[in-house]
Amino acid sequence: MRNARIEPDVISYSSGISACEKGEQWQRALGLLSEMCEAKLKPNVILSYSAAISACGKSEQWQHALALVGEMCEMTLEPDVISYSAAISACEKGEQWRLALSLLSGMSEATVELNTITCNAVISACEKCKQWQQALSLLIAIHDAKLEPDVISYSAAISACEKGEQWQRALSLLSEMWSAKLKPNVISYNAVISACGNGEQWQRAVALFSEMAAAKLGADVISYSAGITACEKGKQWQRALVLLGEMWEAKLELRVIYIYNAAISACEKSEQWQQALMLLDEMREANVHPNVISFNAGISACETQWQQALSLLSVMREANVVPDSATALRSARARRTGSGSELWHYLARCWRRSWSPTSSLQWCDQRVREGRGVAVGLGTGQRDIGGEDGAQRHQLQYVGQRVREG
């Protein structure tokens, strides 16, 4: 425009700022806003400042968003509902729940009309920071303001309760949604299932799958992951495998390692070593690569089957998965249950090749600070790594003590 000797006006700048907001170019948006002021053009509240605040929010630049709100006040430009909502959304993305609440309070003081969308952003900010009490208070405030909470309002509040380990309140909110003739979505149910799992309420978590089916809501990967984890915590290996089977039938993506890990752990806690090994085989067939957590759970499941544990250690080495302290401890327990001295020799050899001396020493030092000794000889295992780094030797010595302690 300047090349054509045409001076940009407020509308030109505002359009440019809005374009930057949509393209998530917050720095360019701020640059254009600054140019407006230098050109002694008075920015438009809605098109200029609100768009710039929104641009900052989308890029998680909540500090800049709040600074713009302050600028508006200094210029005697009154922020409107769009400006406040954009700033609150920026705080929500930046997990600044106190600032989001402060802005909401400022809206009321400035007699700016609240809306459900703005309140939802504040509830979401509280949810991200595990402030379930504040989230529930805001839900009540929406009613008091004679606004109608929507599915997003309830889902955010339920998720806040899930993160705050308030499974009863999460279930209560789900029931409240139905009473208000609001149909919960998959996100709502996933949060409640997870809340029940965290509260070791596996029966309630599993029952929610039936509710979802009755409501014609298809459970997704997150639903099943939360359900299987709930069963794992409740030592319900059979139900965990049923849910895993349902995932297969629903043709959902099973290449998610933590779902398999939870199912293997459920089998391990119920001493179902055959099922644990089957799941590890299944992972490889599905092209899901077991990690150290997968192998540790499998080895622990084979506590009374030292030869199977030895086989897993061999597979672990072939897969280039580095053993950790849990691997050693669980392998040692398997050794203790039988005559598996070969298992301990093998673990020592793996340790010698794989373990990082620095991290091992730090780990042992931490145990000493906790008041737990690490200087107990291990016999067979210690001789097997004789001459190696002292940190490795201390690590195995610590495991030996833990095994003796039971």
Side-chain angles (χ1 to χ4, degrees):
M1 289 180 72
R2 289 194 180 93
N3 290 338
R5 295 182 180 179
I6 300 173
E7 288 299 323
D9 58 9
V10 172
I11 296 174
S12 309
Y13 275 110
S14 297
S15 298
I17 292 169
S18 183
C20 291
E21 180 259 328
K22 290 181 173 65
E24 299 183 14
Q25 299 294 315
W26 67 274
Q27 290 162 312
R28 291 180 183 273
L30 292 184
L32 290 174
L33 195 63
S34 178
E35 280 185 28
M36 285 184 75
C37 295
E38 289 173 7
K40 297 182 179 180
L41 293 172
K42 188 174 182 179
N44 181 287
V45 175
I46 299 174
L47 297 177
S48 307
Y49 268 100
S50 295
I53 293 168
S54 182
C56 293
K58 286 182 178 179
S59 300
E60 299 183 6
Q61 298 294 320
W62 60 269
Q63 299 96 327
H64 288 289
L66 293 184
L68 289 172
V69 173
E71 273 185 32
M72 291 178 74
C73 296
E74 288 174 8
M75 296 175 67
T76 65
L77 291 172
E78 293 183 3
D80 61 3
V81 65
I82 297 173
S83 311
Y84 274 112
S85 296
I88 288 170
S89 182
C91 292
E92 179 250 322
K93 288 183 174 68
E95 299 183 10
Q96 300 294 318
W97 66 274
R98 287 189 178 89
L99 291 173
L101 280 173
S102 178
L103 285 169
L104 192 68
S105 177
M107 286 181 73
S108 299
E109 291 171 6
T111 64
V112 177
E113 189 176 352
L114 296 174
N115 60 32
T116 303
I117 295 171
T118 306
C119 293
N120 287 351
V122 184
I123 294 173
S124 184
C126 294
E127 172 259 320
K128 288 181 177 178
C129 299
K130 302 180 182 180
Q131 299 295 319
W132 62 270
Q133 300 99 324
Q134 294 288 352
L136 294 184
S137 296
L138 285 165
L139 203 57
I140 294 169
I142 292 176
H143 286 290
D144 292 344
K146 297 182 180 179
L147 297 170
E148 292 294 331
D150 56 16
V151 173
I152 296 172
S153 315
Y154 276 103
S155 295
I158 289 170
S159 186
C161 292
E162 177 253 321
K163 288 185 172 129
E165 299 183 359
Q166 301 292 316
W167 64 269
Q168 298 101 322
R169 293 179 187 273
L171 280 172
S172 177
L173 286 174
L174 189 69
S175 177
E176 196 176 304
M177 287 183 76
W178 285 111
S179 300
K181 296 182 179 179
L182 286 172
K183 183 179 179 180
N185 57 21
V186 175
I187 296 171
S188 314
Y189 271 101
N190 288 352
V192 182
I193 293 170
S194 183
C196 291
N198 290 339
E200 299 184 0
Q201 300 293 316
W202 68 267
Q203 300 98 323
R204 296 177 190 273
V206 171
L208 287 167
F209 281 89
S210 299
E211 272 192 34
M212 290 179 75
K216 296 182 179 179
L217 289 171
D220 60 11
V221 172
I222 297 172
S223 317
Y224 281 108
S225 174
I228 291 169
T229 300
C231 292
E232 178 253 326
K233 289 177 180 174
K235 300 180 181 179
Q236 299 296 314
W237 67 273
Q238 290 164 310
R239 293 193 180 264
L241 294 186
V242 167
L243 290 176
L244 198 63
E246 286 181 12
M247 288 188 72
W248 276 106
E249 291 174 9
K251 296 181 179 179
L252 292 173
E253 176 61 64
L254 275 168
R255 294 176 63 179
V256 183
I257 194 166
Y258 57 81
I259 293 177
Y260 274 106
N261 286 353
I264 294 169
S265 184
C267 294
E268 173 253 321
K269 288 180 178 177
S270 302
E271 300 180 357
Q272 297 295 318
W273 64 270
Q274 299 99 325
Q275 296 291 344
L277 294 182
M278 284 176 62
L279 286 170
L280 281 167
D281 288 338
E282 205 174 279
M283 286 178 76
R284 290 189 288 272
E285 288 173 10
N287 202 27
V288 180
H289 302 292
N291 60 12
V292 68
I293 297 171
S294 319
F295 282 111
N296 285 351
I299 290 169
S300 185
C302 295
E303 187 171 317
T304 59
Q305 305 291 323
W306 71 267
Q307 289 170 313
Q308 296 290 348
L310 175 61
S311 177
L312 280 181
L313 279 171
S314 179
V315 174
M316 194 174 181
R317 182 184 174 189
E318 290 170 6
N320 293 319
V321 177
V322 179
D324 62 6
S325 56
T327 314
L329 183 57
R330 295 178 185 197
S331 301
R333 284 174 178 164
R335 171 185 179 267
R336 186 180 59 180
T337 61
S339 57
S341 60
E342 182 184 357
L343 172 64
W344 191 249
H345 279 294
Y346 182 81
L347 178 63
R349 290 196 298 274
C350 287
W351 210 285
R352 183 172 56 203
R353 294 187 179 99
S354 305
W355 189 261
S356 163
T358 302
S359 61
S360 179
L361 186 59
Q362 289 172 345
W363 193 86
C364 290
D365 287 343
Q366 176 64 30
R367 295 297 173 180
V368 171
R369 286 196 295 272
E370 292 172 357
R372 303 169 77 172
V374 295
V376 177
L378 197 61
T380 303
Q382 186 170 340
R383 285 197 300 274
D384 194 53
I385 61 167
E388 294 297 321
D389 190 279
Q392 295 172 332
R393 185 160 52 253
H394 290 164
Q395 180 70 30
L396 289 172
Q397 289 169 351
Y398 167 74
V399 172
Q401 178 170 324
R402 288 294 306 275
V403 172
R404 291 190 178 97
E405 290 171 356

